[in-house]
């Protein structure tokens, strides 16, 4: 007992040295330990190396970012070395606003090839701040400027992220891809609202790509793009108890964009969503067919228990995504939609498309196994209209011709 305590103390002591970039301790503590990297003296000091070396010296221990301290993330942060580590963030990790440095980089925080990691706050005060205002402003002036994803999980498994606030992602907040599995997010707040006239473009809450068993349970999102996008290769993703404000909604896609692609999303469930001031509550985004694009399979995906407030569409199927009408008429989508269930949507749409509450433009050269049931969404005036094209006879709602997009 005394020996173990002394070893823990040694690690803490080494990391508490008043230098900007402490050296990793020479002693390796095999059992769970606690490491507190020292925060830099100001925003000009980069704290990324200190936190990374704390992970290296505590690969399966707990790295603590104490309450009321700001650590400056001036260079790209990697979880390399973590093997069952816990990053306990009770203070703030704040990315720099240096658009020259971040331009063209893939991510600010990266987990690549990690097995076992927990990132959470014990006190509820933990913040990961992407500091994206300068990037949003620069992107508005120059759309070629490439902004990083805030938190990118690639080819990793058994990762838990909980009780954290993420704010001002320069671009997408969270990506999970590269064959990741068992990644869970719970009790998470995402907030990206621009203080200038330039909106926080492309601040998707979550992009879930090639992965299995990703879960999001309990999230409050305010952003300016998809709240959650289930992308190519996503399977067994589950999203429960989410609230999205100002977003483009919870979407499958976009899929089938690449020449020769066959993008699949299957076995996913979204249950319990409140959609406020959003472009749609949920939907599918599918590119049209070859030669410029590929195809897609969307199978066994359920959206249920949605409540809308002032949202433009309750549900939207786009099968001419990213193209013009003449291209799509000549080269319609060949996507296969099977067992897509939309159930129990209530609340109100906005005046934007009123009285239309849904626009269901199914693939003209594919299949459309889509059913809607218990949809009580009402437009601000008149009764709900569901616009359809190429929908099946057992769709479940009365159709009016004229869907497009
Ligand atoms: C911003 O990043 C660039 C490129 O890494 C670097 O040369 C420059 O010194 C940084 N500016 C500041 C204020 O740190
Ligand atoms: C959820 O996270 C917030 C902080 O983000 C925290 O205050 C709260 O205690 C957490 N709730 C649960 C049930 O863990
Ligand atoms: C726009 O951004 C790109 C990528 O960073 C850069 O190469 C290009 O010079 C910028 N254009 C202008 C007009 O600043
Ligand atoms: C993600 O993982 C894949 C597969 O290991 C690898 O090819 C790719 O380079 C990784 N991407 C990033 C951004 O780390
Ligand atoms: C993922 O979690 C499931 C149970 O939820 C478990 O059966 C499986 O072994 C886990 N996968 C990995 C790679 O740990
Ligand atoms: C839903 O998520 C929010 C935000 O994380 C949380 O405050 C609330 O307790 C959750 N509700 C349920 C029923 O899990
Ligand atoms: C359909 O997807 C759900 C949600 O992931 C999953 O639980 C279920 O097993 C899937 N059904 C089939 C037949 O694969
Ligand atoms: C319909 O959704 C609402 C809102 O999430 C939920 O409270 C209600 O229990 C759901 N009804 C059924 C029959 O699942
Ligand atoms: C439609 O898109 C195709 C292919 O992207 C392009 O070649 C064509 O010029 C576009 N037509 C119109 C009317 O914009």
């Amino acid at each position: 007992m005394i020996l173990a305590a002394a070893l823990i103390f040694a690690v803490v002591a080494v990391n508490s040295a008043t230098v900007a970039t402490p050296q990793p301790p020479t002693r390796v503590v095999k059992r769970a330990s606690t490491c507190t990297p020292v925060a830099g003296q100001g925003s000009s000091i980069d704290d990324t190396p200190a936190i990374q070396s704390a992970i290296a010296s505590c690969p399966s221990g707990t790295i603590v970012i104490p309450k009321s301290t700001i650590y400056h993330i001036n260079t790209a942060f990697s979880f390399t070395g973590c093997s069952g580590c816990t990053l306990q963030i009770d203070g703030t990790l704040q990315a720099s606003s240096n658009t020259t440095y971040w331009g063209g980089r893939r991510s600010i925080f990266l987990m690549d090839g990690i097995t076992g990691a927990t990132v959470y706050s014990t006190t509820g005060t933990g913040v990961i701040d992407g500091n994206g205002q300068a990037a949003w402003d620069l992107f508005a002036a120059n759309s070629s400027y490439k902004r990083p994803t805030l938190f990118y999980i690639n080819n990793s498994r058994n990762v838990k992220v909980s009780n954290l606030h993420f704010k001002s992602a320069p671009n997408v907040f969270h990506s999970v891809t590269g064959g990741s599995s068992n990644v869970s997010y719970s009790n998470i707040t995402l907030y990206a609202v621009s203080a200038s006239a330039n909106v926080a473009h492309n601040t998707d809450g979550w992009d879930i790509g090639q992965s299995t068993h990703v879960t999001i349970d309990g999230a409050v999102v305010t952003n300016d793009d998809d709240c959650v996008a289930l992308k190519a290769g996503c399977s067994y993703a589950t999203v429960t108890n989410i609230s999205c404000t100002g977003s483009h909604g919870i979407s499958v896609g976009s899929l089938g964009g690449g020449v020769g692609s066959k993008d699949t999303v299957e076995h996913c469930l979204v249950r319990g969503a409140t959609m406020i001031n959003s472009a749609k509550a949920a939907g599918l985004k599918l590119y049209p067919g070859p030669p410029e694009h590929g195809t897609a399979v969307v199978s066994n995906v359920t959206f249920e228990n949605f409540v809308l407030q002032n949202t433009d569409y309750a549900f939207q199927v786009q099968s001419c995504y990213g193209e013009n009408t003449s291209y799509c008429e000549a080269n319609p989508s060949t996507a296969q939609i099977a067992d897509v269930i939309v159930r129990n949507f209530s609340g109100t749409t906005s005046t934007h498309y009123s009285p239309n509450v849904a626009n269901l433009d199914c693939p003209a050269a594919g299949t459309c196994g889509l059913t809607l049931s218990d949809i009580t969404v009402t437009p601000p005036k008149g009764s709900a209209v569901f616009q359809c094209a190429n929908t099946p006879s057992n769709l479940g709602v009365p159709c009016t011709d004229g869907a497009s997009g």
Side-chain angles (χ1 to χ4, degrees), residues 62-96:
T62 299
I63 297 93
V64 180
I65 303 301
K67 197 175 167 181
S68 307
T69 54
I70 299 178
Y71 286 63
H72 295 279
I73 306 302
N74 297 357
T75 56
F77 183 103
S78 164
F79 282 83
T80 300
C82 167
S83 173
C85 72
T86 298
L87 180 58
Q88 178 186 326
I89 306 171
D90 295 329
T92 296
L93 300 182
Q94 183 178 57
S96 79

Tab-separated table of all heavy atoms in Angstrom, residues 62-96:
chain	number	residue	atom	x	y	z
A	62	THR	N	-5.112	7.212	-15.254
A	62	THR	CA	-6.001	8.361	-15.413
A	62	THR	C	-5.185	9.634	-15.544
A	62	THR	O	-4.318	9.920	-14.710
A	62	THR	CB	-6.952	8.455	-14.205
A	62	THR	OG1	-7.732	7.269	-14.166
A	62	THR	CG2	-7.879	9.659	-14.314
A	63	ILE	N	-5.445	10.371	-16.589
A	63	ILE	CA	-4.786	11.658	-16.819
A	63	ILE	C	-5.813	12.723	-16.474
A	63	ILE	O	-6.922	12.715	-17.024
A	63	ILE	CB	-4.312	11.791	-18.278
A	63	ILE	CG1	-3.255	10.734	-18.599
A	63	ILE	CG2	-3.767	13.179	-18.563
A	63	ILE	CD1	-3.771	9.471	-19.182
A	64	VAL	N	-5.477	13.604	-15.572
A	64	VAL	CA	-6.460	14.559	-15.059
A	64	VAL	C	-6.186	15.970	-15.586
A	64	VAL	O	-5.071	16.475	-15.483
A	64	VAL	CB	-6.461	14.571	-13.510
A	64	VAL	CG1	-7.482	15.575	-12.976
A	64	VAL	CG2	-6.750	13.177	-12.968
A	65	ILE	N	-7.220	16.559	-16.140
A	65	ILE	CA	-7.201	17.982	-16.501
A	65	ILE	C	-8.064	18.658	-15.433
A	65	ILE	O	-9.298	18.560	-15.460
A	65	ILE	CB	-7.805	18.195	-17.910
A	65	ILE	CG1	-7.061	17.369	-18.969
A	65	ILE	CG2	-7.852	19.676	-18.275
A	65	ILE	CD1	-5.579	17.659	-19.114
A	66	PRO	N	-7.438	19.289	-14.441
A	66	PRO	CA	-8.210	19.741	-13.279
A	66	PRO	C	-9.202	20.855	-13.624
A	66	PRO	O	-9.003	21.615	-14.573
A	66	PRO	CB	-7.146	20.257	-12.316
A	66	PRO	CG	-5.844	19.780	-12.843
A	66	PRO	CD	-6.013	19.595	-14.314
A	67	LYS	N	-10.224	20.906	-12.792
A	67	LYS	CA	-11.254	21.934	-12.899
A	67	LYS	C	-10.615	23.326	-12.871
A	67	LYS	O	-9.604	23.533	-12.195
A	67	LYS	CB	-12.207	21.766	-11.698
A	67	LYS	CG	-13.520	22.451	-11.839
A	67	LYS	CD	-14.417	22.111	-10.649
A	67	LYS	CE	-15.607	23.056	-10.642
A	67	LYS	NZ	-16.509	22.806	-9.525
A	68	SER	N	-11.195	24.249	-13.609
A	68	SER	CA	-10.773	25.657	-13.630
A	68	SER	C	-9.384	25.891	-14.227
A	68	SER	O	-8.773	26.918	-13.952
A	68	SER	CB	-10.812	26.288	-12.232
A	68	SER	OG	-12.077	26.093	-11.661
A	69	THR	N	-8.885	24.918	-15.014
A	69	THR	CA	-7.625	25.176	-15.710
A	69	THR	C	-7.872	25.065	-17.208
A	69	THR	O	-8.702	24.277	-17.652
A	69	THR	CB	-6.519	24.164	-15.333
A	69	THR	OG1	-7.032	22.858	-15.550
A	69	THR	CG2	-6.068	24.309	-13.909
A	70	ILE	N	-7.144	25.891	-17.963
A	70	ILE	CA	-7.240	25.836	-19.423
A	70	ILE	C	-5.922	25.289	-19.955
A	70	ILE	O	-4.851	25.805	-19.622
A	70	ILE	CB	-7.506	27.235	-20.022
A	70	ILE	CG1	-8.833	27.789	-19.500
A	70	ILE	CG2	-7.527	27.161	-21.551
A	70	ILE	CD1	-9.158	29.188	-20.012
A	71	TYR	N	-6.026	24.239	-20.753
A	71	TYR	CA	-4.859	23.690	-21.441
A	71	TYR	C	-4.979	24.072	-22.907
A	71	TYR	O	-6.039	23.892	-23.515
A	71	TYR	CB	-4.827	22.159	-21.287
A	71	TYR	CG	-4.414	21.684	-19.905
A	71	TYR	CD1	-5.176	21.979	-18.787
A	71	TYR	CD2	-3.252	20.928	-19.736
A	71	TYR	CE1	-4.798	21.539	-17.531
A	71	TYR	CE2	-2.867	20.479	-18.483
A	71	TYR	CZ	-3.638	20.789	-17.383
A	71	TYR	OH	-3.260	20.351	-16.140
A	72	HIS	N	-3.884	24.575	-23.457
A	72	HIS	CA	-3.924	25.085	-24.832
A	72	HIS	C	-3.450	24.020	-25.817
A	72	HIS	O	-2.328	23.509	-25.699
A	72	HIS	CB	-3.088	26.361	-24.921
A	72	HIS	CG	-3.683	27.459	-24.102
A	72	HIS	ND1	-4.725	28.225	-24.531
A	72	HIS	CD2	-3.430	27.843	-22.824
A	72	HIS	CE1	-5.096	29.056	-23.583
A	72	HIS	NE2	-4.320	28.844	-22.522
A	73	ILE	N	-4.333	23.684	-26.731
A	73	ILE	CA	-4.037	22.657	-27.736
A	73	ILE	C	-3.634	23.390	-29.015
A	73	ILE	O	-4.471	23.713	-29.849
A	73	ILE	CB	-5.265	21.732	-27.944
A	73	ILE	CG1	-5.750	21.143	-26.607
A	73	ILE	CG2	-4.950	20.626	-28.955
A	73	ILE	CD1	-4.695	20.330	-25.825
A	74	ASN	N	-2.332	23.708	-29.101
A	74	ASN	CA	-1.861	24.501	-30.237
A	74	ASN	C	-1.375	23.627	-31.383
A	74	ASN	O	-1.157	24.124	-32.485
A	74	ASN	CB	-0.725	25.439	-29.790
A	74	ASN	CG	-1.198	26.447	-28.754
A	74	ASN	OD1	-2.376	26.493	-28.411
A	74	ASN	ND2	-0.286	27.261	-28.256
A	75	THR	N	-1.169	22.331	-31.080
A	75	THR	CA	-0.777	21.388	-32.146
A	75	THR	C	-1.657	20.137	-32.037
A	75	THR	O	-2.248	19.874	-30.985
A	75	THR	CB	0.714	20.990	-32.036
A	75	THR	OG1	0.950	20.465	-30.734
A	75	THR	CG2	1.632	22.178	-32.302
A	76	ALA	N	-1.725	19.393	-33.154
A	76	ALA	CA	-2.609	18.227	-33.238
A	76	ALA	C	-2.333	17.253	-32.095
A	76	ALA	O	-1.176	16.962	-31.773
A	76	ALA	CB	-2.430	17.545	-34.583
A	77	PHE	N	-3.408	16.748	-31.494
A	77	PHE	CA	-3.336	15.903	-30.299
A	77	PHE	C	-3.658	14.462	-30.686
A	77	PHE	O	-4.676	14.192	-31.312
A	77	PHE	CB	-4.370	16.413	-29.294
A	77	PHE	CG	-4.363	15.698	-27.980
A	77	PHE	CD1	-3.778	16.277	-26.870
A	77	PHE	CD2	-4.946	14.437	-27.841
A	77	PHE	CE1	-3.775	15.608	-25.639
A	77	PHE	CE2	-4.923	13.774	-26.627
A	77	PHE	CZ	-4.345	14.358	-25.518
A	78	SER	N	-2.798	13.531	-30.292
A	78	SER	CA	-3.038	12.119	-30.577
A	78	SER	C	-3.059	11.312	-29.283
A	78	SER	O	-2.283	11.582	-28.362
A	78	SER	CB	-1.919	11.589	-31.482
A	78	SER	OG	-1.928	10.178	-31.452
A	79	PHE	N	-3.951	10.334	-29.222
A	79	PHE	CA	-4.029	9.445	-28.057
A	79	PHE	C	-3.044	8.274	-28.155
A	79	PHE	O	-3.143	7.330	-27.371
A	79	PHE	CB	-5.453	8.900	-27.898
A	79	PHE	CG	-6.404	9.885	-27.284
A	79	PHE	CD1	-7.022	10.858	-28.054
A	79	PHE	CD2	-6.705	9.842	-25.921
A	79	PHE	CE1	-7.915	11.763	-27.495
A	79	PHE	CE2	-7.600	10.744	-25.351
A	79	PHE	CZ	-8.200	11.711	-26.134
A	80	THR	N	-2.112	8.329	-29.066
A	80	THR	CA	-1.142	7.240	-29.221
A	80	THR	C	-0.530	6.871	-27.867
A	80	THR	O	-0.128	7.758	-27.109
A	80	THR	CB	-0.029	7.661	-30.216
A	80	THR	OG1	-0.658	7.930	-31.456
A	80	THR	CG2	1.004	6.569	-30.389
A	81	GLY	N	-0.479	5.576	-27.588
A	81	GLY	CA	0.073	5.116	-26.315
A	81	GLY	C	-1.010	4.750	-25.324
A	81	GLY	O	-0.782	3.953	-24.416
A	82	CYS	N	-2.193	5.300	-25.516
A	82	CYS	CA	-3.305	4.973	-24.613
A	82	CYS	C	-3.738	3.532	-24.838
A	82	CYS	O	-3.958	3.104	-25.968
A	82	CYS	CB	-4.480	5.917	-24.879
A	82	CYS	SG	-6.014	5.385	-24.088
A	83	SER	N	-3.846	2.788	-23.750
A	83	SER	CA	-4.311	1.415	-23.846
A	83	SER	C	-5.156	1.169	-22.599
A	83	SER	O	-4.659	0.737	-21.572
A	83	SER	CB	-3.093	0.487	-23.905
A	83	SER	OG	-3.495	-0.841	-23.840
A	84	GLY	N	-6.390	1.591	-22.680
A	84	GLY	CA	-7.238	1.561	-21.492
A	84	GLY	C	-7.068	2.799	-20.630
A	84	GLY	O	-7.382	2.782	-19.441
A	85	CYS	N	-6.577	3.874	-21.220
A	85	CYS	CA	-6.380	5.099	-20.420
A	85	CYS	C	-7.699	5.822	-20.191
A	85	CYS	O	-8.685	5.588	-20.888
A	85	CYS	CB	-5.397	6.051	-21.118
A	85	CYS	SG	-6.053	6.870	-22.589
A	86	THR	N	-7.691	6.699	-19.195
A	86	THR	CA	-8.833	7.571	-18.926
A	86	THR	C	-8.348	9.006	-18.961
A	86	THR	O	-7.400	9.352	-18.247
A	86	THR	CB	-9.428	7.254	-17.535
A	86	THR	OG1	-9.904	5.907	-17.549
A	86	THR	CG2	-10.567	8.193	-17.186
A	87	LEU	N	-8.943	9.813	-19.800
A	87	LEU	CA	-8.647	11.241	-19.784
A	87	LEU	C	-9.812	11.917	-19.076
A	87	LEU	O	-10.924	11.965	-19.602
A	87	LEU	CB	-8.460	11.765	-21.223
A	87	LEU	CG	-8.138	13.263	-21.370
A	87	LEU	CD1	-6.854	13.636	-20.616
A	87	LEU	CD2	-7.997	13.638	-22.849
A	88	GLN	N	-9.553	12.336	-17.864
A	88	GLN	CA	-10.593	12.985	-17.048
A	88	GLN	C	-10.466	14.490	-17.227
A	88	GLN	O	-9.515	15.106	-16.757
A	88	GLN	CB	-10.390	12.584	-15.589
A	88	GLN	CG	-11.387	13.234	-14.645
A	88	GLN	CD	-11.044	12.922	-13.200
A	88	GLN	OE1	-10.540	11.842	-12.870
A	88	GLN	NE2	-11.301	13.878	-12.323
A	89	ILE	N	-11.436	15.052	-17.923
A	89	ILE	CA	-11.368	16.479	-18.253
A	89	ILE	C	-12.375	17.236	-17.393
A	89	ILE	O	-13.570	17.221	-17.667
A	89	ILE	CB	-11.670	16.717	-19.749
A	89	ILE	CG1	-10.751	15.868	-20.632
A	89	ILE	CG2	-11.543	18.198	-20.101
A	89	ILE	CD1	-11.130	15.888	-22.107
A	90	ASP	N	-11.900	17.868	-16.341
A	90	ASP	CA	-12.782	18.700	-15.532
A	90	ASP	C	-12.536	20.185	-15.825
A	90	ASP	O	-13.339	21.034	-15.457
A	90	ASP	CB	-12.601	18.388	-14.041
A	90	ASP	CG	-13.047	16.953	-13.721
A	90	ASP	OD1	-13.974	16.459	-14.397
A	90	ASP	OD2	-12.456	16.328	-12.830
A	91	GLY	N	-11.410	20.477	-16.471
A	91	GLY	CA	-11.123	21.837	-16.940
A	91	GLY	C	-11.432	21.948	-18.422
A	91	GLY	O	-12.345	21.295	-18.931
A	92	THR	N	-10.650	22.753	-19.139
A	92	THR	CA	-10.903	23.015	-20.559
A	92	THR	C	-9.680	22.670	-21.397
A	92	THR	O	-8.557	23.028	-21.029
A	92	THR	CB	-11.236	24.517	-20.764
A	92	THR	OG1	-12.450	24.801	-20.084
A	92	THR	CG2	-11.391	24.867	-22.232
A	93	LEU	N	-9.909	21.975	-22.489
A	93	LEU	CA	-8.885	21.812	-23.520
A	93	LEU	C	-9.320	22.725	-24.664
A	93	LEU	O	-10.374	22.516	-25.253
A	93	LEU	CB	-8.805	20.367	-24.010
A	93	LEU	CG	-8.467	19.296	-22.975
A	93	LEU	CD1	-8.392	17.919	-23.648
A	93	LEU	CD2	-7.143	19.607	-22.281
A	94	GLN	N	-8.517	23.750	-24.929
A	94	GLN	CA	-8.914	24.733	-25.939
A	94	GLN	C	-7.934	24.751	-27.099
A	94	GLN	O	-6.739	25.017	-26.919
A	94	GLN	CB	-8.982	26.128	-25.308
A	94	GLN	CG	-9.462	27.186	-26.296
A	94	GLN	CD	-9.562	28.550	-25.661
A	94	GLN	OE1	-8.574	29.074	-25.124
A	94	GLN	NE2	-10.744	29.124	-25.689
A	95	ALA	N	-8.453	24.476	-28.288
A	95	ALA	CA	-7.605	24.531	-29.485
A	95	ALA	C	-7.234	25.981	-29.777
A	95	ALA	O	-7.981	26.905	-29.449
A	95	ALA	CB	-8.351	23.935	-30.671
A	96	SER	N	-6.099	26.174	-30.406
A	96	SER	CA	-5.725	27.536	-30.813
A	96	SER	C	-6.570	27.948	-32.007
A	96	SER	O	-7.156	27.114	-32.696
A	96	SER	CB	-4.240	27.592	-31.189
A	96	SER	OG	-4.057	27.068	-32.496
